[in-house]
Amino acid sequence: MNDTTEIPLSEVHAYQTTDGYFRRMYSGYGDSFAKRLEKGNIDLYTRTQSYGGGGSFVPGPNGTSMFVGGGMQSSQVEYFSKDGGEIQRASARNLKKALFDNPESMEYLKKRDGMTVVQVLGVIAGVTIAATSLASQSDSEELSIPAGAFVGVMVVSGSTWIPYFQKKELTRKAIKAYNR
């Protein structure tokens, strides 16, 4: 068997390996491939997006400062395609346009949007708990972090991150419902 046929990468629109199915993304997403997570009328894709981590100026000796780079950071970004069409970012707005004709999918997307209210209320509650605890501690000369401040920080963290992961899950449930 002769497997020496070469195809220029610029002509490859999709490929399959033991790791999964990958489709080329064009336009504002750069020229790269995204991995398919869900197959159906709505295909869900993910791609690792890398970006510079910025950096900051830090104090140096004798009143000087120096710039310390932030390095590279990356995150997983989800995209989707309806009926094999153009790949789009899996934002709430784009998904609502694509899934509008499926009531069950729309219910999941409404729950997904409601998460932001929970996040805001959680942050307010956490900050209030921490601030109240720290204010009551200010009379003491002892340097310790009160338990209430710790609880407040945990409430803020939980209300910020837990809904974030729930949003991803609700997006996937909306797509699965559409694909049934």
Side-chain angles (χ1 to χ4, degrees):
M1 183 170 175
N2 185 357
D3 287 336
T4 60
T5 304
E6 290 187 28
I7 300 170
L9 187 58
S10 61
E11 293 181 24
V12 176
H13 300 289
Y15 66 92
Q16 176 117 21
T17 68
T18 55
D19 292 331
Y21 175 83
F22 297 83
R23 183 170 163 196
R24 182 180 294 277
M25 297 176 60
Y26 298 101
S27 74
Y29 306 119
D31 189 15
S32 64
F33 290 87
K35 182 178 181 178
R36 184 172 62 198
L37 302 175
E38 177 80 25
K39 180 180 179 181
N41 293 326
I42 300 288
D43 290 338
L44 181 64
Y45 295 90
T46 187
R47 178 179 78 126
T48 301
Q49 185 171 314
S50 298
Y51 49 92
S56 60
F57 285 94
V58 294
N62 302 321
T64 63
S65 63
M66 58 188 218
F67 184 78
V68 178
M72 291 298 290
Q73 297 179 357
S74 64
S75 63
Q76 290 295 114
V77 181
E78 291 186 342
Y79 302 88
F80 75 97
S81 167
K82 184 174 182 177
D83 298 324
E86 177 187 342
I87 291 182
Q88 305 174 55
R89 188 174 203 128
S91 67
R93 182 179 184 196
N94 290 343
L95 285 167
K96 284 178 182 176
K97 284 182 187 177
L99 308 179
F100 77 94
D101 55 342
N102 183 297
E104 185 181 356
S105 295
M106 293 305 291
E107 281 302 312
Y108 284 120
L109 292 177
K110 283 180 189 173
K111 286 180 188 176
R112 179 183 187 264
D113 287 348
M115 289 289 125
T116 54
V117 173
V118 171
Q119 287 173 304
V120 169
L121 292 175
V123 168
I124 291 170
V127 168
T128 303
I129 292 168
T132 303
S133 179
L134 288 171
S136 66
Q137 185 74 10
S138 67
D139 295 339
S140 171
E141 291 184 22
E142 184 181 318
L143 279 177
S144 66
I145 298 176
F150 181 73
V151 170
V153 168
M154 296 307 294
V155 170
V156 169
S157 297
S159 64
T160 302
W161 285 103
I162 291 170
Y164 170 77
F165 293 112
Q166 288 175 335
K167 282 184 176 194
K168 263 190 168 179
E169 185 59 30
L170 289 168
T171 297
R172 291 186 181 173
K173 285 180 178 181
I175 290 172
K176 282 185 185 297
Y178 195 90
N179 286 339
R180 278 192 227 131

